[in-house]
Amino acid sequence: MRAGRVALRLYGAGVEAVTWLGLAPFEAGRALVGRTPAGTLAARLGRTAPAGPPPSRPHLLVHAVSVGEVATAGVLLQALSRLFPGLSAVVSVGNRDGWNAAGRLRERLPAVSGVTYLPWDRPRALRRWLAGRGFDGVVVVETELWPGLFSACRALGLPLFLANARVYPRDLPRYRLARPLFAGALGAATWIGAQSEREREAFLSLGARPESVEVTGNLKLDATPSDRPLPPPWEEALSRRAPVLVAGSTHPSEERPLLAAAARLRERFPGLLLVVAPRHPRRAGKVVEEARREGLVPVLWSAPDPAARPDVLVVDEIGFLASLYSRAAVAFVGGSLVPKGGQNPVEPAARGVPVVSGADLSHFADVASALEAAGALRRIRGEAPVEELEEALGAWLADPASAREAGRAGRQALEALRGAADRTARAVAARVPSTPAVKSLP
């Protein structure tokens, strides 16, 4: 315990230094040149005024750092709303993309009463910030382990829940180097809903209390496919093209072999349209340049040309990938030809689309195994990526009936894995107090 307290003090001092010497000046500079909205710095410092008394009870803070986590939070909030008709939740985020996604979630879910940036992880500032907002509990979605936030919850007597919790394998050794700090942080958790038994073991190895960790499954599997309408020019263009191949959340070294494989496949499938959605949309221009080097005709999503008949559509806007998967004959999920753990294969598989990936889907190991067993996922080794991609993608493009059957099998495989949302919602509901839990600050 003493080692944990010392580690937290050192961590708190380090975060204070980083905040005032780096983060705050940087954010202030961004505000001066108009690159961040007014009020962002105050929010990050925890200096925004409370919005007033909670609109209803229970009143939760749900932290979801970015777009994917916000989508997962939405699944949980829907399940919680069924148990608590009066639920109100403030969704906190960590970046601009998360802010925009949370804004869309607020429009869709009545339970979301506000959106904010989570203050930087300064323990004392977070205690003050939380104490004035009347939360009955704090839910942190997926991979976020913040010692300052967790210690503030413990100091205030706030129930703390880790939902859809996971620890990336690459991060585990780093966390273990600071085990006293993270053991103390995880000891503050009222309940941890781990995605799998492997995740449960990882949390236990970092010092979580065994009685607090339960395997619940993956909340992403309970998401109801909901597609955002495409802009009319692209809706019309995609309806005229076949086949459509969608490569989602791609990383830099994956796009060249994908484009080269697409150039080869176009010899067999002249109408083929490759849609590339880079993991980071700001890289779209580089994908366009790479496509031209491969002799392909690219066009940017943000600059539709009615007269163009592109070979490659490069998506430079967040929020449309799920809708694009629905138009695909075959999907490729990025982050898998490189050692990044893979991006989410659930989105295409839930829409009945067969999936091709690289070898590394370690972030979605259970889902990937189920899809592979059902014949809905083909992994390539990546030793000769252009040839392997051409073969794997081409096999399904050449046999649409087989591709449709694989897609149906994948959807059924996901169905068997569902239920995490209800399990997580019941666990949170059983532990949220009926009256405000926050202690007054000394």
Side-chain angles (χ1 to χ4, degrees):
M1 288 293 291
R2 186 174 183 276
R5 288 195 294 270
V6 171
L8 181 62
R9 290 194 191 100
L10 292 173
Y11 172 83
V15 175
E16 289 286 347
V18 169
T19 295
W20 294 111
L21 296 177
L23 295 174
F26 176 74
E27 198 64 54
R30 283 168 56 87
L32 283 173
V33 297
R35 294 189 61 189
T36 189
T40 301
L41 178 58
R44 289 302 218 169
L45 292 171
R47 293 182 174 177
T48 52
S56 56
R57 297 287 186 189
H59 185 50
L60 301 178
L61 174 68
V62 179
H63 179 60
V65 65
S66 195
V67 177
E69 292 80 7
V70 169
T72 303
V75 174
L76 177 57
L77 285 168
Q78 286 178 305
L80 282 168
S81 295
R82 292 192 289 269
L83 298 177
F84 294 118
L87 174 72
S88 71
V90 173
V91 177
S92 64
V93 300
N95 58 42
R96 188 65 185 173
D97 291 337
W99 176 275
N100 292 334
R104 293 192 294 269
L105 185 68
R106 185 179 187 181
E107 293 173 0
R108 184 165 58 88
L109 293 185
V112 179
S113 58
V115 176
T116 184
Y117 281 101
L118 185 71
W120 288 312
D121 202 44
R122 301 182 297 146
R124 290 183 182 177
L126 277 163
R127 286 200 298 272
R128 290 192 296 270
W129 185 79
L130 287 170
R133 281 160 172 76
F135 294 123
D136 300 310
V138 174
V139 181
V140 177
V141 177
E142 295 204 6
T143 59
E144 299 282 285
L145 300 181
W146 292 114
L149 174 66
F150 291 12
S151 70
C153 289
R154 183 183 355 228
L156 297 169
L158 265 175
L160 171 65
F161 307 95
L162 275 59
N164 217 43
R166 67 184 313 172
V167 178
Y168 291 136
R170 69 174 183 269
D171 292 336
L172 196 54
R174 178 165 53 86
Y175 286 143
R176 284 176 175 154
L177 288 175
R179 191 178 187 279
L181 175 65
F182 288 104
L186 291 171
T190 307
W191 178 85
I192 300 172
Q195 290 187 21
S196 66
E197 185 59 39
R198 189 201 70 80
E199 306 292 350
R200 181 179 184 275
E201 292 299 323
F203 280 105
L204 294 179
S205 74
L206 292 176
R209 294 174 290 109
E211 66 274 14
S212 71
V213 189
E214 178 183 348
V215 176
T216 56
N218 193 331
L219 282 168
K220 285 184 168 68
L221 296 170
D222 289 348
T224 302
S226 176
D227 294 346
R228 184 179 176 186
L230 298 180
W234 291 125
E235 182 68 69
E236 183 181 353
L238 288 166
S239 69
R240 296 197 309 263
R241 297 293 294 269
V244 175
L245 166 61
V246 176
S249 299
T250 55
H251 290 246
S253 56
E254 296 176 314
E255 288 137 8
R256 180 175 295 176
L258 277 165
L259 290 163
R264 294 185 181 189
L265 287 167
R266 281 187 57 80
E267 297 175 6
R268 296 164 55 192
F269 310 100
L272 175 69
L273 174 64
L274 171 62
V275 180
V276 181
R279 173 68 171 159
H280 299 292
R282 63 179 178 272
R283 294 186 42 260
K286 295 186 180 299
V287 180
V288 167
E289 294 172 5
E290 192 67 49
R292 290 187 178 128
R293 281 194 286 269
E294 290 292 338
L296 298 168
V297 178
V299 65
L300 276 176
W301 177 269
S302 61
D305 180 357
R309 185 173 171 81
D311 305 322
V312 182
L313 169 57
V314 183
V315 182
D316 55 353
E317 184 176 347
I318 284 177
F320 291 101
L321 181 57
S323 303
L324 288 166
Y325 278 139
S326 295
R327 276 73 172 176
V330 185
F332 173 85
V333 291
S336 58
L337 276 176
V338 290
K340 298 290 185 181
Q343 300 304 139
N344 183 8
V346 173
E347 282 191 328
R351 289 161 173 79
V353 178
V355 179
V356 173
S357 79
D360 187 7
L361 284 176
S362 55
H363 290 175
F364 299 89
D366 292 348
V367 172
S369 296
L371 291 174
E372 273 190 300
L377 168 68
R378 292 174 176 169
R379 293 199 223 199
I380 67 169
R381 296 173 62 86
E383 295 172 354
V386 177
E387 292 77 10
E388 292 175 69
L389 283 168
E390 181 186 9
E391 180 182 355
L393 296 167
W396 268 325
L397 292 175
D399 189 351
S402 173
R404 287 191 295 271
E405 180 55 38
R408 282 193 293 269
R411 195 154 41 194
Q412 290 172 355
L414 295 183
E415 189 66 38
L417 298 175
R418 291 193 168 111
D422 286 339
R423 288 189 287 272
T424 303
R426 286 196 298 269
V428 173
R431 294 165 175 84
V432 168
S434 56
T435 57
V438 180
K439 300 174 183 175
S440 59
L441 282 172

